[in-house]
Amino acid sequence: MNAEDTLPVATETKPDVNKLILREALSWLWVILAFLFITGTIVQARVIPSGSMERTLLVGDHLLMSRLGYEAELPMTPLHMRLWRNPHRQQIIVFRAPLPGTPDYIKRLIGLPGYELEIREGVVSINGKPLNEPYRADPPNPTDNYGPVTVPAGEYFMMGDNRDDSYDSRYWGFVPRDNIIGTPVMVYMSINAPEETWNPGHIRDRMTTYISILIHPGIVRWRRIFKFF
């Protein structure tokens, strides 16, 4: 065989490692940006740590909360911006607690701006008319009295459905509109576990509880999954 007849040897081009790393980094960057956009403006996951909203919400309910139209924020920063939607009376609301260093609260909006609110023997009245509250956990408490007060402009009066076990506007006052984050849409998981499991900082307890579902599936409240509000 002549030299002219020798077949060319195919050489494999080595990939550019730097380009591969850059491409991978950009892919993850888009994923992170999409996650921040979704959690900052559209939907977030929350868990109920206390019984202040029973029977409506139970300790261990895992919620998807819509913040669409209520607020936009840059996650993990104090930067947030109020949007165009305003809540309506008797809607369940997630909001920043008006007490420094306190986790976000979830309560029911009872008093709108400009309305007169009064509680007598546990019965809530708005502008002199008793409010129908079929969601309450217990009958009105005769010792529960408050007001009358007029809700200031741009602020709201919040109360828990479990009135005898709710730390709400009766004790710490009104909630500014800028504090409102969103409203729950759906329960996507509900786990029967002690309250302290869901308190901030109890990551190990939460992980243990999630793993224990594999052994004790009965701690899941299966009938509450996909409950919509």
Side-chain angles (χ1 to χ4, degrees), residues 70-147:
Y70 290 103
E71 185 194 64
E73 74 169 5
L74 187 60
M76 296 175 288
T77 76
L79 301 176
H80 60 95
M81 179 178 65
R82 171 180 170 176
L83 299 180
W84 67 90
R85 293 179 68 183
N86 287 316
H88 56 77
R89 184 184 294 122
Q90 295 180 300
Q91 188 175 17
I92 303 172
I93 300 296
V94 180
F95 57 95
R96 292 182 187 84
L99 308 172
T102 304
D104 297 339
Y105 282 175
I106 181 166
K107 306 287 182 186
R108 193 178 294 272
L109 194 162
I110 300 298
L112 292 167
Y115 284 74
E116 184 182 81
L117 180 144
E118 183 177 15
I119 304 172
R120 284 292 169 263
E121 297 183 353
V123 177
V124 178
S125 294
I126 303 294
N127 289 344
K129 296 180 179 179
L131 186 64
N132 182 29
E133 299 190 276
Y135 42 75
R136 291 189 58 163
D138 296 304
N141 184 341
T143 65
D144 187 11
N145 297 286
Y146 181 90

Side-chain angles (χ1 to χ4, degrees), residues 180-191:
I180 291 177
I181 301 171
T183 184
V185 175
M186 180 189 74
V187 176
Y188 69 88
M189 175 60 72
S190 184
I191 304 173

Side-chain angles (χ1 to χ4, degrees), residues 206-218:
R206 291 194 189 194
M207 292 300 102
T208 302
T209 300
Y210 293 140
I211 293 171
S212 68
I213 292 175
L214 300 174
I215 304 172
H216 305 289

